[in-house]
Every structure is written in structure tokens, then in C-alpha cells.
Amino acid sequence: MSGPNTDYDPVEVAAVSPAELEAARDAALAAIAAATDLEQLKAVRTDHAGDRSPLALANREIGALPPQARKEAGQRVGQARGAVSKALAARQEVLEAEHEARILVEEAVDVTLPTDELPLGGRHPLTTGAELIADIFVAMGWEVAEGPVIEAEWLNFDALNLGPDHPARTMQDTFWTEPADNHVVLRTHTSPVQARTMLTRTPPIYVVCPGRVFRTDEYDATHSPMFHQVEGLAIDEGISMAHLKGTLDHFASQMFGEGITTRFRPSYFPFTEPSAEVDLVCFVCRGIDSDACRTCRGEGWIEWGGCGIVNPRVLQACGVDSERYSGFAFGMGIDRTLMFRHGLEDLRTLFEGDVRFTTAFGSEL
Amino acid sequence: MKAPVSWIRELVDLPESVTTEMLTDRLTALGLKLEAVDSADITGPLVVGRVLTQDKEPQKNGKVINWCTVDVGDANGTGEPQGIICGAHNFGPGDLVVVVLPGAVLPGGFEISARKTYGHVSAGMICSARELGIGEDHDGIIVLPPDAGQPGDDVFALLGLDDEVIEFEINPDRAYALSLRGVAREAALGFDVPFADPAERELPAVDGKAWEVVVDDPVGCPVFAARLVSGFDPTAPTPEHIRRRVEQAGMRSISLAVDITNYVMLELGQPIHGYDADKVAGALGVRRARDGEKLTTLDDAVRELSVEDLVITDDSGPIGLAGVMGGATTEMSETTTRILVEAAHWDAVSMFRTGKRHKLTSEAGKRNERGVDPLLPGIAADRVVELLVEHGGATAEPGYTLVGTAPERPAITIATDLPARLSGIDITAMTTVESLRAIGATVTEQDAGTIEVVPPTWRPDINDPYDLVEEVVRIVGYDQVPSVLPRRATGRGLTRTQRLRRRIGRTLAGAGLVEVVSFPFVGEATFDKLGLPADDPLRSTVGLANPLSSEEPAYTTTLLPGLLDAASRNVGRGAPGVALFETGTVAFPADNGPAPIYGVHARPTEAELEKLVEALPVQPQHLAVVLAGERRRAGWWGAGADAGWTDALAVVRRLAADLGVTVEVTSAGRMPWHPGRCALVSIDGVEIGHAGELHPNVCRAYGLPARSAAVELDLDALMAAATEVVPGPAFSTMPLAKEDVALVVDAGVTVAAVEAALREGAGELLESIRLFDVYTGEQIDEGQKSLAFALRFRAPDRTLTEAETGAARDAAVARAAELTGAVQR
Ligand SMILES: [Zn+2]
């Protein structure tokens, strides 16, 4: 609808006077500088650089000028418009930056608001604990062996030098499956896994067997009919108690901290000969001023498990050449280990399934 | 085993400087583990007093009390006589008594102070044995012998109150240490001091004349010794030192004759039985019991005998359960004057079985089933006779019956360097020989670094070279074992299954689920609670012959009961919601007959091992999940959401995606799930479990919020299907073409069916398909639903034209119409 030659009479705008041009430019620049937000600047742009602004009108006049005057007028108008447009862009940039900065300030939140829409999950410390132990041994080049929890009597007892009349067979009160003469038990230790390993593999054997075991203990703060053990077995040429000690010392320091070592006391297990009880330097008091220590009850040592040189009778039953190979074995309770490692008072907290217990461990183990 | 320190010191010449703590440390290091040290629980002045005056003062209640003055020397600080009230009457002026003075504390924390009573100030107490915790006798106070000491003398030593009693935990292989003889021998070994073996005695010649004895079963009873005494005074009291030691060992003082047999058993380790000889009819016999025979034992129990039980007989039949417990008919009594003393060596296995069969644990049985020195019977019988004569006024009848001889012990050949090789300690051949001699073995040196060793008779546990190694190493010291890591382990790391199991656990924990570990014991009530029908295969369990609770007599076939209990516990403790998972073994009966028992002298064959494994129950690993109550919390961000069937399926799908497994889901009705909200989960058409909302009855039964959900899967099957090597995906970077379609179908048509039809019809250009809305309501007919799908098309090599995309979409809709009756809206 608009065109230079219909709306404007070139006669009316005969003079593109330098003074007017300058005034228009200065007014524009002042208005630009005075604009305090993008809204105002938009209005300033329309007023001073829009189609109906004095400078735009002046620009249109140029065409109506005599050719000899056009060049000079064009230069002047062009300069003025250039200055305004530059100022507009600069002001635009400043105001936009201010605007964005203000929005960021306005968008600030209270970061202390809770964000717990999704509940916390977690793995059981018995699982992560067994994995920690497995990792310590795998790092030494051992493997993790597993076997069924409902096990043949022969593998749970006989093969391990626990004959039918061995007193130890009653020491570990066993769950028998029905019918009782089926010779199938809930394994009383993870040792049958060791037997299975020896029966199916040839030495060298270095395996660690974590797992669930059962005994007919009444359930209380320190006893449970179901608990968890980890046993280890090494069969190789020239294996001695020194290797057993070295392995357990390493295990202890990895599990409980640098400098925590073990000591052996003579003991008796049908599976091993010589046999030893393993004690652990108390990782709380380290045997120094232990009198007040609640973890070791003043002993300076904590009973950890049993171990020994694998009885050659066991090697024989499992088809290992006992002339060529010797071995060591050890075993300890994972539940018990966790109890003193974490200062748990009651074994039953492990099996209650209270989520507050499990989630407390996070991924600590 | 409880051993008084004074008794140990009587048998071993321990230096005075050896404290009880040093002794127990050393013995623990040798393998006799310290359990506890008991000592008299008395502090403060406890002295000899001489009764000066004794005024009997009758009381209103009819009792008569004694107002005494007692000379306690300077023990009371003044030297003046001490005034004491005493209720006992078995003493008089001039007697020496035991006086406890104010400031002392008696057993049980009983503090002694001067107090006003019966009109006098009683400054202390005249003591009975019971008050001092040294005996049960409280009829009277202790009257000391006239030469016991001077008033004011300390009586701790006199009464043996300064003695400590060490309690040891004795392992099955150290049965010899169930005697002072054994404990003292270890102490001598520990401190390298002389040991006076109480078993070294001169014995009379065997003439078989003490009593006729016929042993029918020399395997069960290799040695039987009998002696006879007469003229025994059944009223003679047990001397103080015997009574005290018997009680210190934790046994009850009964009568002189019984106390003596127990005393000698404690001293030597040999169980002994005394018969009232006048009640024994004819010869003593030893045989296995006959079917149907009965015996009343000393504990007044009538016992049905088994043909495996060894019994002692006389003409009347069985009169004792050999080696375990005597019979009532020949029991010594307060009128017994002739005592037949029996000491025998019994087959340990037979003793163990009899004890187990009759559920009898006795001090005798405990020793006999672990193995006793077979040379002891004659020695122990002689020692008993000696004490009966000395303290009971008895006369030893001539005659010594001894049937059988101690079995020969075969020599063990052992390389002298075996202890060094197995221990890793630098142990010389000389140390090996010396150590074995120190434990009492006979060592004969052979050529080429081997020795022949005959173990001592009191060590039935030593049979193999490795047994000898333990002896050598414990004497050298377990603390000498160096610490050396083995260097040859070359394992292959975790197995794939082990890695997958860890990953599954982490995925579930990452999805906000908490792992629990629960017991696998169940019963019919458990399955009833789950609402399982009577013929449900899950009710077919592996039963336990000796369950802890008759309510839960079986190993579980499902992990849900344990999880539901745990969920219920959490809810009961106030948790607004709970999401749990568990992985573990379930068991199904194999019914392949009993598992064989093989020998142990050689490895079973492959076929035999296979038979063993086949006899075991089928034991898959399962995974179960329970989601109850609040799953997403309400908060300042808006409303929360409770768990429901979708959460259960979401867990399954997330796990499947994580393992690269494609699972199929179809509708199924299976308890304990809601019949209309249960999904059967399969892989390649094989069922692996169920997921969905729990049946309302089950939620109620467990006290869980309505719409709680659960999953149970066969974890083994899931892991087996996990993608081992993921093929690298190929995808196009050409522009995406989007087409959304809304299809109306009958309400009963599943989304999976419509989606499958669309997928099939859309052809290869289809990149993905996703349901984004389900609508039922006014705009469509009743009994129908509208499903809105987003179809995404892309070609591998070009930009798709509108015509191509439209054709693919139309083909998809046409196929859906064909297969599911879908009509495009
Ligand atoms: Zn400590």
C-alpha cells in the first residue's frame, strides 16, 4: 500500500538539510541510549529507524534530489542511518544480555528441596560381602566355585573324612531330607564344593567357595539355622602351612586393613591335618590397650575360622594323588565376619529384610 | 575338661614363676584351648578362729542361736575376741572354725559387715562350706582339725580357696586331655619339665581270681579288668581333697565309693564302674545285647537295648550298658561293703553309637567314645582299690582279673622332612625325632631320611604321617609358620554366570529394589497363604526329616513366601512402600532313589558320581520381586504412585533389556497372582515365570497394601538366554518419517497382537513402533478401545517419500484390520 512516489511529495522534502539530519540522528542515538529494556528498544527502533522515521524519510528524499546532489546527500543519510543501526544493535545486545541474566536470577530454585521421588535400592551386605571376598581371591588368580545347597551325604561328610561314626558328624547338627535314609542333606558347610572341585578338576586348584549352609541351630542373636560360609582350597605341588598363612594374612589385610594379620592355634577338623584355628588381629584396637575394646573383648584377637593342610584321606577319596600334591583349606563364616566388621549386635538383622538395614550399606562393601 | 591348677602342679614340677595365665597360654598354643579360669569368688579377711565362749540363747520362734566370742588373733586389728552370732550347733568352745570378718565379700557378692541381730552386734560370720562356695554342705559350719593353725591365720590356702580351675575346650583328637594325666603331660611338654605319670604303678600278677569274667566280644571289649574289695565302710565320708577336686571338675560328690571312681577317672582318664558285689549273680559277661532285652540304668530310665549295644551281664542278664552307664540292680548303696571294680577298654565306635542311640551323654561315655589308653584298665582298677582301702577302711581281696590285651599299634613310617615340607618351617630331622619322643612315641630311625613311629597308647587319634606332622608342628610352635603367598594360581576370573548374577543384582538395585536374604523353610500353611490349589506342583517339596519347626518342614519351591514376609515386616514397621528382591535356590524332588554312599579309599567312578548327582533334588536359582505400597513418592513435585502390576512387568522388561533377552508376555491366571492381572513370561516359547498384581486375598493374608505386585522367574533360564556377544547395531542416518495411527479394536484384543500385526504389515521400512495412548469412552462404542500408535519409518539409503511412508502405514493398518479386526479412527 505504500510506495515512495504516491505517499510523499518530493517537493515537500526538497531539503535534506544536514542540520535536520544531524538532529534526527542525535535524537535517535539518545533514545537508544535511554531505552532500558527490550520493549522500549523495540519502540525506539520503530520511531527512529522504522519506515516512518525521519531518517527513513530522509533516505527516501534522496531519490528526488537532482543527480548532482544525490551523492553527497546519500552519504550523509547513509552515515546517519549507519550510526543509528549500529547503536541499536549494540544496545540490543546489552539489553538481551541483561534480560538473560535477569531470567537466570529469577529462575533460581531452592536446591535443598528433596528429590527422593524414586526409592533407594540396594544389594544385601551378604551378597556384596561375598563378592568382596571373591574379588580378593580372584585378584590372586583364584576362581570362585559353587555347588548345590542340598547335597549328597557322601559329599558333605564321607568324602571329607567325616565317616558315619565321626563325632564331628553330630557336632554339626545336620538337616536331613526325607526320607532320612535318602542320604541327602542340607549342606552343613561349603566343603562339598571343594570335594566336587577336586573330583572334577586336576591340580593345580585354587578355588574359593562362598555359599549358604545350614545347621539345626535355634535362631537367636548369634545363631541361625542358615548362614554363609566362605571356604578356600589350594591343591598344588609343594603347598605348605606357610602358603596357608600367607594367603590368610593377605585376605585379612585386604578385608580389614593394612597390617591386620592372623595367628594359628592347633585345633581339630576331620578335613585337615594339621589343623588350626585362625585368629585375626583385632582391627579395632590392633591388640594395643585391648582391655576396653568391645570388638575383641580385651583379647586383642578375634576368632575368625578354621584351616589346615588337607587330610590326604580327603585327597584320596577325591582322586587327587596325595604323593604328588598337597593342599590347604580354610573356612570362615561370612555372616560372622560381617558382624564384627560392621559391629552388628544381632545376627537376625541380616535375615529380617528390613530395608533400612540393607540400604544403610549403600555400596560400601 | 576342668583341671584344678593345684592338681596339675601335683603331677608336673612347674616352676613357681609360672602363672596360671602363662600356663593357659602355653597349653592353648599346644592345642588345649582355654575356655575359662574359675577361682574362688571371695575377697577380704577369712581366718582361723578359736571359739572361746558359746552361749545358747533360745528365741521366741523356738530357734536357738549361739552368741559366741571367737579369738581371731590380730586379724581384727584389736586382738580382742570377736562377738559373732551363729545358728549352727555342730561345734563348741575350743574348736577351730573359719571366720569371715567385716569388709569381706563372699560368693554371690555377699558383703560382710557388723550388724545388730538377736540383741547383739555380730561382727562377722562363722562359715559353712556352702557359704564359701566350696561345697553343698550347709548342715553345719566348718570345724577345722585341731592342728589346722593359729587364730588369725589366713585360711585361703588351707581350704584350697587360692586354687584356680582351668576349663579347657578339648578337641576330639585330644581325648587323652580329658584327664589330669593328659593335661599335666601337656604342661610338662609346654615348659619342658619332668612329669610324674600317675599311671605308673606296680600291679599285682594277673590270676583271674578277682571275679570270673567272660568276654564274648573281644572286638567291642579288647581289655577288661576286675578287682574286688570287702569290708568297705559305706558310711565313711569322702575326704575333703577328693570331694573338692571332684566338684572342681564339675561333678557331684555322691558317696565315697562313687567319688573315688570319678576321682580316678579324672586323674587317669579311664572310666571305672563299681558294683555292689553282693548284688552281682555269677560271672560278669560282655556281649552284644539281644533283641528285646531291657535295662534300667542308674538314671532310672528303662532302656530298650539294640543288638548293637554292648552290655555287661551276670546270671540275671544285662546289668550295665557297657562303658556308658551302669544298671540299677547292682548299684552301690549305703549298705554296700563288697565292691567289684570294673575298668575296661571299649571300642570307641560302639560307644559312640550306643550313646547316640540312647541319647546318653555321661562322663564315662564321653571318654570311651573318644578313645582311652588301652593300658589303663588294670592300672585304674588298682588305683581305685588303693583309695577304697585308704579312705573306706576296705580290704583288697587277692586276685586280679584281666581279660584281653591292648591291641598292637602298627608303626607309622614317615619321612623326617615331612613336617618341614608341610609346615614351611625349617624343622630338622632331629627336631622331628625329639618332638615325637616328647609326646611319648617310640621312634626308630630308618635309612634314607625315614623313621618308624609307634604312637603312645593314649593317642588313638594318631594313625597317619600327617597326624605326626601336627604333633611336631605344634611342639615347634604354630607361631613359627612363615607367611608366604602361593605364586602359581592362574585362574580364569569370574564365570559368565557369576558376572551375570552380579549384573542382575545391580540392575535391580538400580531400579530401586532392595535385596533380602530369607530362610527357605516352608509348610502347607505357607502355600495356603499363597492360595495355591491343592494339586499345585509347588506343593511338591523336598521334605526335611528333622525340621526346626513342624510348621515349616520343607525346603521351599518358591522365593515369594520369604519376600512377602519381609515386605509385610517392613510395612508393619511403618514403611509406606517397599520394593524387594531375592535370588536363591528353590528345590524340587528328584525322586531318583537314595544317594549312594561310596567308600573313601578311592575316587568314585564317573558313573558313580553321576548317580550321586542324579539323586539330588533339582535346584534351580530363582529371582523374585515384591512391590508393595508407595513406589514413587508424593512430594512437592506432585502426587506419588503406588506399586501395581505395571511395576512388576517393568522390572521384568528392564532386566530382560539389560541382559539382551527378548521376553514374551502373555496373559495367565496363576496363584498367588490376580487372575486378570498376571503375565506369563517366556523366552522362545519356554515359560520362565510370572509377573503381575497379587491376588487381593494374598495381599490381605500378608497384610500388604492392595494391588501389591510380584515377580518370580527362573534365573538360570534367564541367564542362559542372555546375549553373549551383542552384534553391533546398524542404523540409518537418513531422515525419519513419522506416522501416527489410532485403531479401534474389541476390548479383549491385546496390544501385543495389534502391535505385532502393525509391525508385520509395515514391512522393512518400519524402524520402531510404540503405543502412546489407550482410549475408551464416549467417542467410541462400548466394548471397544482405541489404541494410538506412533510408527516411525526410515530407509537405509534414501529419504522416504510421502507416498512410500503412506503406503507402509496403510499396509500396517490393513494387516492389523485383517488379524485383529482393527478399524482406523
Ligand atoms: Zn580389640
Side-chain angles (χ1 to χ4, degrees):
Chain A
M1 299 283 272
S2 65
N5 296 324
T6 50
D7 282 5
Y8 302 104
D9 183 354
V11 178
E12 278 180 7
V13 290
V16 182
S17 96
E20 279 175 26
L21 201 58
E22 226 163 85
R25 183 199 65 193
D26 290 348
L29 289 179
I32 288 167
T36 56
D37 61 28
L38 289 167
E39 238 0 73
Q40 288 179 16
L41 191 64
K42 197 176 166 192
V44 170
R45 187 188 301 274
T46 308
D47 291 349
H48 296 276
D51 287 346
R52 287 179 170 278
S53 64
L55 285 175
L57 295 178
N59 195 39
R60 248 177 248 155
E61 285 170 16
I62 293 168
L65 292 177
Q68 62 274 31
R70 277 186 202 163
K71 190 182 171 191
E72 192 248 13
Q75 267 176 2
R76 272 189 284 119
V77 173
Q79 274 168 5
R81 292 186 76 196
V84 169
S85 141
K86 204 172 152 193
L88 269 174
R91 190 66 187 150
Q92 176 81 18
E93 200 173 315
V94 167
L95 290 178
E96 267 177 12
E98 277 177 11
H99 178 69
E100 273 170 30
R102 193 166 54 249
I103 284 179
L104 290 182
V105 168
E106 283 165 2
E107 282 179 353
V109 295
D110 177 0
V111 295
T112 68
L113 281 167
T115 57
D116 53 353
E117 183 181 7
L118 292 175
L120 202 60
R123 298 167 77 209
H124 199 281
L126 281 168
T127 305
T128 46
E131 287 177 4
L132 169 64
I133 293 168
D135 289 345
I136 291 170
F137 282 92
V138 167
M140 286 195 283
W142 292 48
E143 292 181 23
V144 181
E146 292 161 322
V149 293
I150 304 180
E151 185 58 285
E153 180 183 1
W154 188 83
L155 283 165
N156 193 72
F157 291 122
D158 301 70
L160 305 169
N161 196 34
L162 285 124
D165 291 308
H166 209 290
R169 208 134 149 173
T170 54
M171 273 159 59
Q172 319 177 337
D173 294 329
T174 307
F175 282 111
W176 297 84
T177 68
E178 273 191 320
D181 57 5
N182 225 19
H183 304 301
V184 173
V185 301
L186 304 197
R187 68 180 181 195
T188 58
H189 42 200
T190 50
S191 313
V193 181
Q194 303 187 27
R196 282 169 176 265
T197 308
M198 285 188 273
L199 284 162
T200 51
R201 293 173 59 165
T202 45
I205 292 170
Y206 291 88
V207 291
V208 66
C209 325
R212 191 168 289 193
V213 301
F214 298 88
R215 302 211 188 144
T216 58
D217 283 332
E218 289 293 337
Y219 193 34
D220 62 29
T222 53
H223 298 87
S224 167
M226 177 181 93
F227 54 102
H228 298 75
Q229 267 193 341
V230 59
E231 295 191 22
L233 173 76
I235 307 278
D236 205 341
E237 289 171 350
I239 286 289
S240 76
M241 290 173 83
H243 297 124
L244 171 58
K245 181 86 163 59
T247 302
L248 290 176
D249 280 343
H250 178 76
F251 179 18
S253 68
Q254 293 289 299
M255 189 85 189
F256 296 99
E258 206 61 42
I260 300 301
T261 56
T262 63
R263 78 170 175 193
F264 289 173
R265 281 182 288 112
S267 190
Y268 172 77
F269 307 106
F271 188 82
T272 50
E273 187 77 35
S275 300
E277 300 263 2
V278 196
D279 295 341
L280 190 70
V281 168
C282 175
F283 59 92
V284 175
C285 67
R286 296 189 169 239
I288 301 155
D289 288 336
S290 12
D291 282 351
C293 181
R294 287 181 56 202
T295 302
C296 63
R297 294 198 183 82
E299 296 286 325
W301 295 89
I302 298 167
E303 287 184 30
W304 198 23
C307 66
I309 293 293
V310 180
N311 195 313
R313 288 166 187 258
V314 174
L315 298 180
Q316 200 174 37
C318 295
V320 175
D321 179 356
S322 61
E323 291 298 315
R324 180 172 171 195
Y325 297 105
S326 56
F328 68 72
F330 61 84
M332 48 272 301
I334 298 177
D335 319 53
R336 222 184 92 73
T337 301
L338 291 182
M339 279 183 81
F340 55 70
R341 189 172 189 261
H342 300 279
L344 308 181
E345 299 281 336
D346 193 326
L347 180 65
R348 288 172 291 199
T349 52
L350 289 168
F351 305 115
E352 280 186 328
D354 194 313
V355 297
R356 293 168 299 175
F357 174 77
T358 306
T359 50
F361 285 86
S363 54
E364 189 270 345
L365 280 170
Chain B
M1 175 69 195
K2 290 180 169 185
V5 173
S6 64
W7 204 349
I8 297 173
R9 284 186 178 274
E10 198 175 289
L11 301 174
V12 201
D13 197 7
L14 288 176
E16 281 300 323
S17 59
V18 172
T19 63
T20 300
E21 193 181 349
M22 288 160 70
L23 180 61
T24 55
D25 280 355
R26 197 71 193 92
L27 289 174
T28 296
L30 281 170
L32 304 190
K33 200 201 160 202
L34 170 69
E35 191 86 331
V37 175
D38 299 334
S39 53
D41 205 5
I42 300 176
T43 55
L46 189 70
V47 299
V48 174
R50 186 182 302 281
V51 181
L52 299 176
T53 64
Q54 181 189 33
D55 297 330
K56 292 191 184 300
E57 300 183 350
Q59 302 297 310
K60 284 184 199 135
N61 60 10
K63 267 173 76 178
V64 176
I65 58 102
N66 294 302
W67 167 239
C68 308
T69 55
V70 186
D71 176 9
V72 293
D74 291 328
N76 57 4
T78 65
E80 295 296 313
Q82 197 82 358
I84 299 173
I85 292 284
C86 180
H89 300 285
N90 63 324
F91 68 102
D95 280 348
L96 291 184
V97 294
V98 177
V99 177
V100 60
L101 295 172
V105 181
L106 293 186
F110 183 33
E111 289 176 28
I112 303 297
S113 58
R115 63 196 179 97
K116 246 188 134 165
T117 180
Y118 298 112
H120 299 280
V121 173
S122 180
M125 202 164 88
I126 303 177
C127 300
S128 71
R130 189 156 113 139
E131 283 153 354
L132 297 179
I134 56 174
E136 288 303 306
D137 187 3
H138 58 108
D139 294 342
I141 54 96
I142 300 170
V143 179
L144 298 167
D147 57 354
Q150 296 301 314
D153 286 358
D154 187 283
V155 293
F156 275 86
L158 190 67
L159 296 177
L161 291 171
D162 57 345
D163 200 4
E164 287 174 308
V165 179
I166 307 172
E167 187 178 350
F168 296 105
E169 184 188 314
I170 304 295
N171 284 317
D173 62 336
R174 308 218 170 271
Y176 64 98
L178 291 169
S179 68
L180 264 296
R181 181 194 188 209
V183 172
R185 186 190 302 281
E186 295 292 296
L189 203 57
F191 292 92
D192 200 17
V193 291
F195 163 62
D197 188 351
E200 267 176 28
R201 299 179 66 80
E202 287 290 321
L203 296 184
V206 174
D207 58 7
K209 285 179 180 166
W211 202 271
E212 192 187 343
V213 174
V214 181
V215 175
D216 278 349
D217 191 336
V219 175
C221 178
V223 185
F224 193 108
R227 293 287 294 275
L228 184 66
V229 300
S230 59
F232 175 74
D233 174 8
T235 66
T238 303
E240 182 57 27
H241 77 282
I242 290 183
R243 186 194 58 75
R244 192 168 67 235
R245 284 180 172 178
V246 166
E247 285 178 347
Q248 280 175 325
M251 300 179 76
R252 222 153 44 86
S253 170
I254 291 163
S255 68
L256 174 61
V258 174
D259 290 352
I260 285 173
T261 58
N262 284 335
Y263 180 82
V264 175
M265 175 177 72
L266 292 170
E267 182 179 58
L268 299 175
Q270 169 68 52
I272 300 137
H273 188 66
Y275 300 85
D276 184 330
D278 292 329
K279 295 179 188 163
V280 178
L284 284 184
V286 176
R287 62 166 168 85
R288 300 281 167 178
R290 298 185 183 122
D291 228 359
E293 279 185 328
K294 286 181 185 162
L295 173 71
T296 306
T297 41
L298 285 177
D299 55 358
D300 288 328
V302 180
R303 304 194 180 265
E304 307 260 353
L305 300 177
S306 144
V307 290
E308 284 184 26
D309 290 332
L310 276 168
V311 289
I312 316 274
T313 61
D314 70 356
D315 291 351
S316 69
I319 57 168
L321 203 48
V324 180
M325 195 176 270
T329 59
T330 54
E331 185 177 4
M332 294 186 290
S333 70
E334 59 275 20
T335 58
T336 300
T337 57
R338 290 173 75 230
I339 298 172
L340 173 56
V341 179
E342 167 220 302
H345 186 67
W346 304 102
D347 171 51
V349 169
S350 181
M351 293 295 108
F352 172 73
R353 288 184 182 168
T354 294
K356 197 163 134 186
R357 189 177 304 118
H358 296 287
K359 297 190 172 60
L360 255 178
T361 46
S362 64
E363 290 289 331
K366 199 165 86 185
R367 288 167 175 82
N368 282 325
E369 72 182 33
R370 286 170 171 79
V372 180
D373 185 345
L375 290 185
L376 280 176
I379 294 163
D382 190 61
R383 174 75 166 136
V384 169
V385 168
E386 178 190 45
L387 293 174
L388 289 172
V389 169
E390 187 180 336
H391 302 291
T395 307
E397 292 291 328
Y400 171 23
T401 301
L402 185 70
V403 178
T405 50
E408 281 283 316
R409 287 298 292 276
I412 304 163
T413 305
I414 172 179
T416 48
D417 67 345
L418 189 64
R421 276 191 279 136
L422 285 183
S423 67
I425 310 171
D426 189 12
I427 296 172
T428 63
M430 199 167 82
T431 304
T432 296
V433 171
E434 279 173 0
S435 303
L436 292 173
R437 286 196 173 129
I439 63 151
T442 308
V443 180
T444 320
E445 306 209 21
Q446 306 292 107
D447 301 336
T450 61
I451 47 176
E452 274 201 345
V453 183
V454 179
T457 52
W458 58 88
R459 294 298 303 272
D461 60 295
I462 299 180
N463 297 296
D464 294 338
Y466 277 45
D467 298 334
L468 295 172
V469 170
E470 179 172 276
E471 293 304 306
V472 174
V473 178
R474 79 183 175 100
I475 287 167
V476 170
Y478 272 32
D479 56 347
Q480 299 301 303
V481 175
S483 188
V484 180
L485 268 181
R487 292 285 172 206
R488 298 225 315 169
T490 51
R492 294 160 294 189
L494 295 177
T495 63
R496 177 173 158 73
T497 310
Q498 287 160 353
R499 280 184 284 117
L500 281 176
R501 216 181 293 133
R502 290 183 175 197
R503 188 160 132 199
I504 289 167
R506 289 194 196 110
T507 299
L508 293 173
L513 274 67
V514 177
E515 186 177 20
V516 304
V517 174
S518 46
F519 291 170
F521 306 122
V522 291
E524 284 302 315
T526 318
F527 299 126
D528 293 345
K529 213 169 168 184
L530 292 182
L532 300 187
D535 61 348
D536 195 295
L538 291 184
R539 285 185 184 264
S540 166
T541 54
V542 175
L544 298 176
N546 55 334
L548 274 189
S549 155
S550 56
E551 308 284 301
E552 297 181 332
Y555 203 95
T556 194
T557 49
T558 159
L559 297 180
L560 288 176
L563 271 183
L564 289 167
D565 280 336
S568 166
R569 201 168 293 128
N570 278 286
V571 169
R573 291 176 182 180
V578 64
L580 304 175
F581 78 98
E582 177 164 18
T583 60
T585 300
V586 297
F588 301 99
D591 293 328
N592 283 338
I597 297 284
Y598 300 122
V600 292
H601 298 296
R603 179 188 188 277
T605 63
E606 293 302 330
E608 285 173 330
L609 285 177
E610 206 164 300
K611 246 189 115 190
L612 206 61
V613 172
E614 279 170 5
L616 296 179
V618 180
Q619 299 171 61
Q621 293 280 305
H622 272 199
L623 158 69
V625 171
V626 166
L627 303 143
E630 188 182 80
R631 174 73 175 136
R632 276 167 297 277
R633 284 194 197 140
W636 58 271
W637 52 80
D642 276 1
W645 65 273
T646 53
D647 296 289
L649 277 158
V651 167
V652 173
R653 292 194 171 113
R654 175 153 180 189
L655 204 53
D658 194 54
L659 297 177
V661 177
T662 307
V663 292
E664 301 120 35
V665 165
T666 52
S667 179
R670 168 108 183 78
M671 287 303 281
W673 284 276
H674 185 305
R677 297 184 169 195
C678 171
L680 171 69
V681 182
S682 322
I683 298 172
D684 289 335
V686 180
E687 299 182 9
I688 65 155
H690 294 83
E693 185 178 308
L694 285 166
H695 195 286
N697 290 344
V698 176
C699 294
R700 263 194 296 277
Y702 281 94
L704 293 176
R707 312 226 173 271
S708 291
V711 178
E712 181 154 21
L713 300 177
D714 182 329
L715 190 61
D716 290 336
L718 186 66
M719 290 194 296
T723 311
E724 197 149 355
V725 180
V726 177
F731 46 81
S732 166
T733 53
M734 289 294 153
L736 180 70
K738 301 179 181 178
E739 290 285 347
D740 291 351
V741 295
L743 301 173
V744 175
V745 291
D746 284 345
V749 175
T750 65
V751 169
V754 178
E755 187 183 310
L758 286 170
R759 192 180 288 280
E760 192 189 321
E764 289 191 341
L765 294 177
L766 183 74
E767 183 177 86
S768 70
I769 182 167
R770 184 167 180 273
L771 177 89
F772 68 88
D773 194 26
V774 180
Y775 175 79
T776 53
E778 286 174 8
Q779 297 181 30
I780 53 171
D781 293 343
E782 191 142 324
Q784 298 211 301
K785 62 185 173 187
S786 169
L787 306 174
F789 290 93
L791 279 62
R792 297 294 176 261
F793 297 94
R794 193 162 1 215
D797 53 353
R798 64 188 189 281
T799 302
L800 288 173
T801 64
E802 264 178 50
E804 279 178 304
T805 315
R809 180 202 59 214
D810 293 346
V813 171
R815 189 65 179 146
E818 196 179 326
L819 292 180
T820 66
V823 177
Q824 192 167 8
R825 263 175 92 192

